[in-house]
Amino acid sequence: MKKFLLVGLLMLALVFLPALAACSSSTSTTASAIAPVTTSASAASTASTAQPAASTTSEAAVSTTAAKTLKIGVIGWFGTSKHLDSIHGIEVLAGMDNQNGGWDIGGEKYKIELCIYDSNNSQTSEVAAVNKMIFQDKVSYIMGQGVYGAAWLPITEENKVIAMSPTHNYFVALDPKFNYSFEPTCVNGTSSTMIGWICTRHPELAKTIVVAFPDNQMGHMIAGDVQAGWKAFNATINCIYYPTDTQDLSSLGTKVATTNPSVFEAVGGGNSDLLAIKAAYQAGYRGQMFASTINPATVMAQTVPEEALNGMICGAYPTEFEPALTQKAIDFKAGWIAKYGKWEDPDIAITSSYDCLKTAIQKTGSLDTTVLAAAIGNGLQFETAVGTIQMVSRPDFGNSRTVDSLAISYVKKMNGTQPELLDTVNLEDGLKYWELSFPAKQ
């Protein structure tokens, strides 16, 4: 009898252990898209460049019965600092909340457990990770910087899973056919606000604009929105597309210097944007350097010479300044330093997805994704380390639901390599610029 009982127990273990391992109290040491990295959301790590903490115990998993557990899926590519910054930022926020007892939802406390997956920059891996989160981890909310959302948004949609900032091809995410997909990270809102600001405050500059984009899907996609912003203020815009597989942008720099526009900016290429600014300056361009997106000052200074940065106007995170510009940013910055030991101006845009979900859940007192989708899609406003964010509609996509986002924007001017706060654009003015840039299709 004991022999049969032992065999039976072993068989049950073989059946249930694989499922439990997906979001367990111990994390995998391998950066695999199929094996998640489950974190405590508050465990210490020694460096911000490290991968999400491995072999740590989930705080939610060891919490007392006084608090329930709420699982949140996070996806990104561990091969880029931008994606790692996003993952670390969400870990910081969840850790701070867990230390304060978790989320209060309808009078009950929930500790946050993050199920983090590496996409490996592969569509196959990313889709597999999403499937694992939904069907094994039983996650109802996914956030992060997925690249191949177009391949898996139908899966999250069918299963009524909230997907936030799910794809670099945000045209797909904003499609009216997706009721559970949202872009709460202000990528488009920052662009329209910054362009609106410079055209309104410095109309003498809003004349001839040259913008450099990488010659890929992302570059051409962003080009449409950037052109719409400049054209809304009757500026003449000339787009230059450069090969994505080159680090030598000297020919681009020569084109910019020869054209000599009133404003030059580079968008959509990540570090290539900075290389384009450097190339334009080295080729002799001395007009107004500008960025309608946000790149932290210290990040820019790693690639762009001080003399080329000096006088550049671009968006800023409130965390870039000392002290940070908002209480939320001050608290986040302190939490980051407590967890990672130092502050190196990480890219924190995606952390707003966490705050969006938290606000929607606490405002409705519900975990029902249909209820949450309705709340987010009806003009939800929430506080983040990036600033106050308002969800907004995309009538140019035929989407009346608020699926995109707009933030209070901070404008910086570079004094050498140091950022100086030039202005703050409130939501009311930002919304005016937004509506000019993205009107309903006629």
Side-chain angles (χ1 to χ4, degrees), residues 162 164 178-184 356 359-360 363-364 369-382 389-394 399-405 431:
I162 298 288
M164 292 188 171
F178 293 123
N179 294 309
Y180 296 88
S181 174
F182 300 93
E183 174 50 81
C356 180
T359 302
K363 180 178 180 180
T364 62
T369 57
T370 300
V371 173
L372 297 175
I376 299 169
N378 193 34
L380 186 71
Q381 188 173 117
F382 48 99
I389 292 180
Q390 174 78 50
M391 297 300 293
V392 290
S393 62
R394 287 301 296 256
N399 199 336
S400 60
R401 296 170 61 248
T402 57
V403 295
D404 213 331
S405 51
L431 189 57

Side-chain angles (χ1 to χ4, degrees), residues 183-194 197 292 294 315-318 326 348-349 351-352 380-392 404-411 423-434 438:
E183 174 50 81
T185 63
C186 307
V187 174
N188 309 308
T190 299
S191 178
S192 65
T193 297
M194 286 300 301
W197 178 87
S292 57
I294 299 175
Y317 292 128
T326 67
I348 61 174
T351 60
S352 57
L380 186 71
Q381 188 173 117
F382 48 99
E383 298 299 322
T384 79
V386 176
T388 303
I389 292 180
Q390 174 78 50
M391 297 300 293
V392 290
D404 213 331
S405 51
L406 179 72
I408 289 178
S409 291
Y410 302 92
V411 183
D423 202 356
T424 301
V425 185
N426 60 36
L427 285 174
E428 183 179 3
D429 287 340
L431 189 57
K432 292 177 183 176
Y433 302 145
W434 176 274
F438 307 117

Side-chain angles (χ1 to χ4, degrees), residues 57-349:
T57 300
S58 168
E59 183 170 340
V62 298
S63 63
T64 68
T65 55
K68 296 183 178 181
T69 299
L70 181 64
K71 291 182 179 181
I72 298 175
V74 184
I75 193 164
W77 179 27
F78 293 0
T80 69
S81 59
K82 185 180 181 72
H83 285 225
L84 284 174
D85 284 349
S86 302
I87 293 170
H88 292 328
I90 292 172
E91 286 183 303
V92 167
L93 290 172
M96 292 167 65
D97 282 342
N98 282 347
Q99 288 173 1
N100 290 323
W103 292 2
D104 189 327
I105 305 172
E108 292 187 287
K109 285 289 187 178
Y110 286 78
K111 289 292 184 77
I112 305 303
E113 183 176 340
L114 302 177
C115 297
I116 302 175
Y117 286 75
D118 183 4
S119 72
N120 288 318
N121 198 32
S122 158
Q123 178 172 307
T124 300
S125 294
E126 196 165 292
V127 172
V130 169
N131 274 299
K132 196 168 181 104
M133 277 191 274
I134 295 172
F135 300 112
Q136 180 169 308
D137 301 337
K138 304 301 180 184
V139 163
S140 296
Y141 327 97
I142 297 174
M143 59 187 64
Q145 283 194 320
V147 176
Y148 303 99
W152 53 261
L153 277 175
I155 303 171
T156 54
E157 186 70 17
E158 181 181 356
N159 290 278
K160 299 182 179 180
V161 171
I162 298 288
M164 292 188 171
S165 189
T167 171
H168 280 223
N169 187 354
Y170 53 80
F171 282 8
V172 176
L174 302 179
D175 193 307
K177 70 182 179 183
F178 293 123
N179 294 309
Y180 296 88
S181 174
F182 300 93
E183 174 50 81
T185 63
C186 307
V187 174
N188 309 308
T190 299
S191 178
S192 65
T193 297
M194 286 300 301
I195 291 172
W197 178 87
I198 197 169
C199 289
T200 302
R201 301 297 177 87
H202 295 280
E204 74 280 3
L205 293 175
K207 295 179 180 179
T208 56
I209 316 300
V210 169
V211 188
F213 303 95
D215 193 7
N216 57 20
Q217 182 188 47
M218 173 62 76
H220 286 270
M221 178 182 65
I222 292 176
D225 284 352
V226 171
Q227 288 182 83
W230 286 110
K231 288 179 179 178
F233 291 90
N234 300 313
T236 300
I237 180 171
N238 178 24
C239 298
I240 301 176
Y241 295 92
Y242 59 85
T244 56
D245 57 352
T246 180
Q247 296 291 301
D248 182 6
L249 297 181
S250 57
S251 61
L252 182 150
T254 300
K255 290 180 182 178
V256 174
T258 301
T259 306
N260 195 29
S262 55
V263 173
F264 170 65
E265 73 162 319
V267 189
N271 190 62
S272 294
D273 296 343
L274 305 179
L275 292 175
I277 294 169
K278 179 181 178 181
Y281 185 85
Q282 290 178 337
Y285 176 68
R286 296 295 181 267
Q288 181 62 60
M289 298 288 193
F290 176 75
S292 57
T293 53
I294 299 175
N295 252 323
T298 55
V299 174
M300 292 194 295
Q302 293 173 12
T303 302
V304 184
E306 179 176 350
E307 59 272 19
L309 279 181
N310 191 47
M312 182 176 179
I313 296 174
C314 47
Y317 292 128
T319 50
E320 287 186 61
F321 305 91
E322 191 58 49
L325 302 179
T326 67
Q327 188 59 51
K328 182 81 173 181
I330 290 171
D331 293 343
F332 175 82
K333 199 169 180 178
W336 183 286
I337 293 171
K339 183 174 176 64
Y340 295 113
K342 57 183 176 179
W343 179 261
E344 296 180 307
D345 273 329
D347 192 308
I348 61 174

